[in-house]
Amino acid sequence: LYLQSGGTQGHVMDISEVGGHPFTTHCLIKVRGRKSGKTRIVPLIYGDIVYVLSNAGLFDAYDLATGAEIYRQRLEHGGSGFSASPVAADGRIYLSSEDGDIFVVRSGRTFELLSKNAMGEPLMTTPALAAGYISSHLAQWGVKPAGDNGTYLQVVKVLGVRTTSRAKVTVEVNG
């Protein structure tokens, strides 16, 4: 289990069995000499890399085995910062800013910003990436794909979205 300390110390802690005593902690990554910015964002482990995002938009990558820094990159955002934890799928890392942008970064040992997508409203929570998860379970259960291009997914045209006074959302699809 890995967690990041709140505050400006930039420590990522590994809570595991150390010295034969379960649930003790040791510091996996200790950033000294520079502030990472206050954060309460959960780090992401994807492959052999630990990704750490600060509230201020500093995005760090560390080697999981050694704790050595791989890179540090500042994500240029509108000023509100980040509070959602990063998520990953298909070799991409998704970072939601409070300004309403989702940054897409290629996973790996070199920083590469693939896109910055404006959602049009503030984002305070971690996005859910469910399509691959659901598709893999449908395949395990023996359900045959009947969606677009032999997949379980189908593109639909959203004709409109409206809210009611009872906080319901109605989505009209394909007429």
Side-chain angles (χ1 to χ4, degrees), residues 43-122:
L44 169 70
I45 298 174
Y46 194 61
D48 61 350
I49 299 174
V50 180
Y51 297 95
V52 180
L53 177 63
S54 77
N55 294 107
L58 291 174
F59 185 57
D60 298 311
Y62 299 95
D63 185 274
L64 178 61
T66 67
E69 183 177 276
I70 298 169
Y71 65 74
R72 167 173 274 204
Q73 183 69 39
R74 179 173 296 281
L75 298 173
E76 297 299 329
H77 58 90
S80 294
F82 294 81
S83 58
S85 298
V87 292
D90 297 327
R92 292 174 176 83
I93 300 167
Y94 299 87
L95 309 148
S96 302
S97 79
E98 294 175 7
D99 300 308
D101 296 318
I102 295 182
F103 295 79
V104 183
V105 175
R106 185 178 311 280
S107 66
R109 297 186 170 271
T110 304
F111 178 84
E112 181 183 355
L113 179 65
L114 298 174
S115 65
K116 179 180 174 183
N117 305 287
M119 298 291 105
E121 59 184 73

Side-chain angles (χ1 to χ4, degrees), residues 24 31 41 59 66-67 81 84 102 111 138 142 167 170:
T24 58
V31 179
I41 300 171
F59 185 57
T66 67
I102 295 182
F111 178 84
L138 290 172
T170 304

Side-chain angles (χ1 to χ4, degrees), residues 1-3 11-19 21 23-30 64-66:
L1 171 66
Y2 294 88
L3 58 96
H11 296 188
V12 174
M13 305 300 287
D14 172 10
I15 299 176
S16 59
E17 186 170 302
V18 178
H21 302 287
F23 303 109
T24 58
T25 65
H26 70 278
C27 192
L28 173 70
I29 300 163
K30 197 176 234 181
L64 178 61
T66 67

